[in-house]
Amino acid sequence: MRVVKDLVAASATPMVLGILAEGDNYGYAIIRRVAELSGGELEWSEGLLYPLLHRLERDGLVSSHWGVAETNRRRKYYHLTERGHDAVAEHRKQWDVVVEALRAVWPEPPTTPVVAGGQ
Amino acid sequence: MTVSEHGSALADQLAQWRAYLADRPGVSAGDVAEVESHLLDQIDDLSQRGLSDDEAFLVAVKRLGRQDALARDFAEAHSERLWKQLVLAGATDVPGEGLRGLAGALGFGLGLGLAIRLPFLWLSSDDLRPVVLVGVVGFLVLAGWYAWLRRTVRPGALALVGSVAAAGLLTAGLYPFREPRHTEVLLAIHLFLALWLAVGAVYLGRDWRSVRHRMDFVRFTGELVIYYVLIALGGGVLAGLTISIFAMIEVDLTTAVSEWIIPICAGAGVVVAGWLVEAKKNVVENMAPVLTAVFTPLCTVVVLSFLGTVLFTGRFVDLDRTVLIFFDLLVALVFGLLLFAISARDPLGPPRAYDWMQVILVAATLLVDVLVLAAMAGRIGEYGASPNKLAALGENVVLLVTLARSLQLYLGFLTGRRPFSDLEMWQCRYLPVFGVWAMVVVVVFPPLFRFA
C-alpha cells in the first residue's frame, strides 16, 4: 500500500515531534523509527525529513547539537523543546478529532463482520 | 564497521558526492555534514548485510535521491540563503536570466519609461491628477513585469493591485480638492506606498499568500533602492558628460536630455535595477545588510546622544509639524535598519553583540519617540489637527507599535525564551498594516479635512 503524498506531508510534523518526545534522536534513526512504527508502510525521504527538522528548529520547536556517535563520527542530534512539547499536545488534540470522525463515519473493518439489523 | 574501516575508494566517492552537494544553491556546510552522516549510517547498515563498499555506496546514494531534488528541498526551507546565492537549482529556464531576461528587462524598462513620460505631453499639471495617473500606470507596468518574470500570477494578487489602483484613481479623480491641497499631496504619497506593497504580492508569484516569503520582498526592496541610487548617480554623470561633449561641437542637447532621456531612463532604471538584483544575487554579497551594519552603530550614537541632551538640558520646546516629520523619518530609519538586519540574519544563529546594539537602538528610539508623541498629542489637543499633523502622527503610531513589539520579541530571543523566527514572522505579518494605513490616508483623509 502506498500512502498518498499529501497525507505523508500532513502527518510528518506530528510524527517527528512525537518521535523526539521519546528522547533526543538524529535523522537516520528518525527515518528508521518512522518505518518501524508504520510497519514499513511509511518511507520518508531525506528531502522531506531534514528541511522539516530545520523548519521546526527555526520555529523553536526543536533544538539541535552536534555530538559524537558510537562510530566516532560527528552526528547532529535533535531535542524537543518546551514549545515542542506543547505542539505535540496540540497536534494530538487535532488528530484525535480527525481520527474520531473517520472512525465514526466508516463501518467496522471487514475482519469483524457487521451484524445485520435483527428484523 | 566504521568509516575508518571502509576503503579509500569509498572515501574518494564520498568526497565527490560531498563536493557536488555543497555546490548546490541553498545548501549550507552544516546540511552537507548532516546528510553525509546519514549516508554513512546507511552505508554501515548495508555493509553489515554483506554488501561491498561500492555496492553499499551506490545503494545508499540512490536512496537519498537526486542531489538536485534534495538541494531544492533544503533551499525551499531556507529562502534567505538563496539571497546570498542564486535562484533555485534546476530552474535554469527562469525568464529573468540570459539574453531573454535582458531583452525583457529592457523592453519593460522602456515601456515603463515611456508610460511615465508620454502622458505629460497631453496632460496639464496644475494639480496632482496627472502625477497620480502616471504613477498608477507605472506601478501597473511594474506589476506586469514581475508577472512576466515569475511566469505566474495569482488572481488574488492581481485583484489586490487592481483594487488599490482603482481606489487611487477614483479618489484622485473625483474628490473636489481645494487650496492648499495638503490632502491631495498626502493622497499621492500614500497611494504610491500602498501600490508598492500591492506590487509585492505579484512579485512573490505563487508564494504571494505565504507570510514568511514577504521577507524576500523586503530584501528585494532594500537591494532595489541601493542599485537604483547607484544607477541614478552613474546616469547623472553620464547625462552631464553627454551635454558637455555635444556642447563642444555646438549641438545643444540640454532639452533632449533633461526632458526626454532622463525621465525615460528614470522609469527604465526601476525595472533594470530590479532585474539586476534578481540576476546578480549571487555575485555580490547583498548591500542592504552591509549598509545596515555600518549605520546601526552610528545611528545608535546619534539617538543616544540626542536622548542624553534632551534629558540633561530639558530642551524640548518648539515642537511643530516639521519636527514631527523629522522624527517620523528617524523612526522610519531605525525601523528600516531593524528590518534589514532581521532579513539578513541567520535565523538559527546564536545571539551576538550586534543583536544587543539593535536592541539598544530600538529602545532608545522608542523612548525619544514617546516623548515626542506626548508633546505632539498635547499640541494637537491645543490647536486642532491638520491633515499633515494627523498623517505624521498616524505614521508615528504605526511605526511605534511594530518597534515596541519587535523590542519585546528581540529581548525574548536574547534571553533564550523565543526563537528568532518569532521576530521575523512578526515583521512579515505587520507589513500589510502599512498598506492599510496608507489607504486610510488616501480614502478617508480628504473628506475628513474637507478636501483642503
Side-chain angles (χ1 to χ4, degrees), chain B residues 143-185:
Chain B
W145 156 242
Y146 294 128
W148 181 81
L149 206 62
R150 295 281 175 269
R151 277 201 194 151
T152 164
V153 55
R154 298 289 145 170
L158 270 194
L160 183 66
V161 175
S163 49
V164 172
L169 288 179
L170 284 178
T171 48
L174 298 179
Y175 281 166
F177 290 107
R178 57 190 179 85
E179 295 301 325
R181 297 181 170 277
H182 284 156
T183 49
E184 193 181 21
V185 178

Side-chain angles (χ1 to χ4, degrees), chain A residues 59-77:
Chain A
D59 293 339
L61 300 180
V62 306
S63 61
S64 72
H65 58 273
W66 285 93
V68 178
E70 63 279 9
T71 51
N72 238 351
R73 281 203 296 267
R74 262 157 51 84
R75 192 176 266 165
K76 198 171 177 187
Y77 290 92

Side-chain angles (χ1 to χ4, degrees), chain B residues 83-105:
Chain B
W83 272 86
K84 298 197 178 115
Q85 301 188 18
L86 192 62
V87 285
L88 286 177
T92 43
D93 57 342
V94 174
E97 278 179 37
L99 214 54
R100 193 161 165 249
L102 178 63

Side-chain angles (χ1 to χ4, degrees), chain A residues 28 32 50 58 75 78, chain B residues 34 38 41 45 80 421:
Chain A
Y28 185 69
R32 296 230 308 204
Y50 289 105
R58 175 191 265 220
R75 192 176 266 165
Y78 290 89
Chain B
E34 191 174 18
H38 181 105
D41 283 334
D45 260 8
E80 80 281 354
S421 70

